[in-house]
Amino acid sequence: MIDSPSNTDPYRTQHKLRLSYMPWLYARLKPAQRLWAQQWQEEWQAYLCTMETITLGKNCFIAPEARLFAEPGRPIIIGDNSYVAADSVLHGPLTLGKAYLLIITSVWMVAVKASLSAIIRALPLIPRLMHSTMAWKLTA
């Protein structure tokens, strides 16, 4: 779901791509950007929930470049304030609690703001997901 330059300005297209790969930035958007980003996410999440057996909490960000597969009887449930980055692949049944950052990638992540204790709490989640998965329980 990448917008072409014909239906939006080039800056917004690039901004959406940046959010997709660095979804923790979504929570820090300025009000003007938050307006269009929230509408974009509401439309995308409504589409996902129509196509798959997915339940999303409040204030979630799901990158359009992520792949979520949740057949009937194999739901994906994602809690409030959670983020799923681009190139992530999730296949149900899967439940993520509140405030998770999920990145499945072959590239090394840089500078994710999460406490060491939060990362350690997320480690049991990793074997249940794919090989190159990074998941953090975000803390305030």
Side-chain angles (χ1 to χ4, degrees):
M1 184 175 189
I2 298 177
D3 291 318
S4 66
S6 63
N7 63 1
T8 188
D9 65 80
Y11 173 76
R12 183 161 304 164
T13 300
Q14 185 64 17
H15 202 157
K16 287 180 177 182
L17 194 57
R18 181 178 326 253
L19 288 170
S20 288
Y21 283 90
M22 297 178 281
W24 57 89
L25 297 175
Y26 181 71
R28 298 188 215 155
L29 288 174
K30 294 177 183 173
Q33 286 78 33
R34 185 63 182 219
L35 283 175
W36 63 258
Q38 189 168 346
Q39 180 182 354
W40 170 55
Q41 277 296 296
E42 287 171 359
E43 291 170 5
W44 176 243
Q45 291 175 23
Y47 170 78
L48 279 176
C49 292
T50 300
M51 299 304 294
E52 301 286 342
T53 309
I54 297 174
T55 303
L56 299 170
K58 296 176 185 173
N59 302 314
C60 288
F61 180 92
I62 310 297
E65 298 81 5
R67 302 295 173 244
L68 283 70
F69 302 106
E71 299 88 7
R74 299 182 61 83
I76 294 175
I77 301 167
I78 300 175
D80 297 347
N81 304 308
S82 294
Y83 309 105
V84 179
D87 297 331
S88 297
V89 179
L90 283 70
H91 189 269
L94 177 66
T95 299
L96 293 177
K98 294 180 180 179
Y100 268 90
L101 168 61
L102 183 64
I103 301 166
I104 302 176
T105 181
S106 58
V107 248
W108 190 251
M109 267 310 295
V110 271
V112 173
K113 187 177 181 180
S115 71
L116 181 57
S117 64
I119 292 170
I120 291 169
R121 285 194 307 270
L123 288 177
L125 200 94
I126 292 173
R128 296 192 62 216
L129 301 172
M130 296 177 67
H131 170 63
S132 56
T133 300
M134 290 175 270
W136 290 270
K137 175 79 171 111
L138 304 176
T139 57

